[in-house]
Amino acid sequence: MNTRKSIQATKKEFEESFSTGDFYNKQTQDEAHLNAILEFLPIKAGMKILDLGTGSGYLAFAIASKYPDVMVAGLDIVEKTLDCNLERASKEGYHNLKFVTYDGIKFPFAEGEFDIVVSRYALHHFPEIHYSISEVNRVLKQDGAFFLSDPTPNADDSQRFVDAYMQLKKDGHIKFYTTKEWEEICGQNGLELIKSFDSSIRFPKKRDTAFGFYELLNRYEKEVIAGYELEIIDDEIYVTEHVNNLLFYKKRQNK
């Protein structure tokens, strides 16, 4: 699938997911994880923060609420969802929060516009990850910070069962990256890993969206699959995925 088709597939599926609300919220919302992120981020008064792949604004609203003296912009491809976010922000009086749509490739912001870029549970859908991270670098101020939170494969999953499993639902999943892969990608784009913390997500998937699930199970070692604590409960499939929470700083350019 080419870049444009991948972005359109992601956009279509997530507009539908966000419109139904409850199941997607069950998948991704986690108050303990959210609070851990808010305490981890190096936020100071007067900063401008970009939430990349903001979706329903779960992280953006939380940052804007906890830090009313910063400006937050949520960026995503899901236009209808962002319209709902804007309506909510207006109703609830968020004067420090805006939402912006884009084409999924080039960020519609000026060079050095943000102090911090954050992204939670989104980057595995980005088809041009090197370009996207170069855009993160471009819009960050000198000494700016980039925080990402995204699931990662188990250490023994060298054949990437988890990616094949996630791709059963045709929503544009590309891949989960290891810490080492993130260090390489970000390092090649002017960002240096400073600190991190680990978490996990117990992720449900509707069986009727997991096309070819049972055929997939026969293609991978049982021990690898067992490592994700796979469980079928009624019409849902559950797996547990480890999550990387990584903080990078923009490297100073030599003059």
Side-chain angles (χ1 to χ4, degrees):
M1 184 179 290
N2 65 33
T3 296
R4 292 292 181 184
K5 288 184 178 179
S6 177
I7 291 170
Q8 288 303 312
T10 302
K11 180 177 180 179
K12 178 180 181 294
E13 288 295 328
F14 276 89
E15 289 282 24
E16 293 176 0
S17 294
F18 289 129
S19 68
T20 55
D22 289 345
F23 185 71
Y24 186 77
N25 290 344
K26 177 182 175 182
Q27 289 175 302
T28 62
Q29 293 191 7
D30 180 337
E31 186 174 356
H33 185 230
L34 179 62
N35 289 334
I37 291 173
L38 293 175
E39 293 300 319
F40 188 75
L41 292 173
I43 297 174
K44 297 179 181 178
M47 283 185 165
K48 291 187 68 175
I49 299 171
L50 173 63
D51 181 19
L52 176 60
T54 190
S56 61
Y58 183 63
L59 184 53
F61 277 105
I63 293 173
S65 178
K66 183 176 178 65
Y67 300 99
D69 49 2
V70 305
M71 296 299 299
V72 182
L75 181 66
D76 211 307
I77 60 176
V78 284
E79 298 170 6
K80 295 178 182 178
T81 303
L82 297 189
D83 286 342
C84 292
N85 292 352
L86 287 168
E87 183 177 350
R88 175 188 166 190
S90 177
K91 285 182 178 180
E92 297 182 9
Y94 284 92
H95 302 297
N96 63 331
L97 178 59
K98 67 177 181 179
F99 292 94
V100 180
T101 188
Y102 79 128
D103 62 3
I105 301 173
K106 185 173 178 59
F107 299 0
F109 302 109
E111 182 175 336
E113 187 167 341
F114 294 95
D115 298 280
I116 301 176
V117 176
V118 300
S119 186
R120 178 181 182 269
Y121 295 170
L123 292 173
H124 54 276
H125 289 286
F126 284 42
E128 300 289 345
I129 193 63
H130 277 276
Y131 184 82
S132 294
I133 301 304
S134 74
E135 281 289 273
V136 169
N137 181 292
R138 182 182 68 81
V139 303
L140 275 176
K141 295 179 181 179
Q142 189 64 59
D143 297 325
F146 171 47
F147 171 78
L148 71 87
S149 178
D150 216 38
T152 184
N154 284 353
D156 64 351
D157 189 9
S158 60
Q159 294 183 327
R160 302 297 178 109
F161 159 78
V162 70
D163 287 326
Y165 170 75
M166 295 298 293
Q167 288 164 0
L168 292 176
K169 183 180 180 183
K170 307 304 181 183
D171 64 355
H173 174 90
I174 304 298
K175 67 177 292 187
F176 291 141
Y177 300 88
T178 65
T179 301
K180 182 179 179 181
E181 287 172 328
W182 277 125
E183 286 190 87
E184 292 173 351
I185 294 167
C186 291
Q188 291 168 19
N189 290 285
L191 301 165
E192 181 180 3
L193 181 63
I194 300 299
K195 60 179 181 176
S196 65
F197 72 91
D198 296 326
S199 60
S200 64
I201 178 173
R202 184 71 171 156
F203 190 85
K205 183 192 296 290
K206 292 288 187 182
R207 274 203 285 180
D208 61 8
T209 68
F211 308 107
F213 170 66
Y214 292 102
E215 292 84 349
L216 180 71
L217 296 185
N218 293 326
R219 286 165 41 198
Y220 293 88
E221 295 178 3
K222 292 181 179 179
E223 293 78 6
V224 170
I225 297 171
Y228 290 99
E229 301 175 27
L230 188 148
E231 185 179 15
I232 301 173
I233 302 175
D234 298 326
D235 66 340
E236 296 175 3
I237 306 165
Y238 286 83
V239 296
T240 296
E241 296 165 353
H242 298 293
V243 177
N244 277 330
N245 299 274
L246 309 176
L247 183 67
F248 295 82
Y249 274 90
K250 183 171 179 175
K251 299 176 184 177
R252 282 192 173 274
Q253 299 296 315
N254 295 324
K255 295 184 179 180

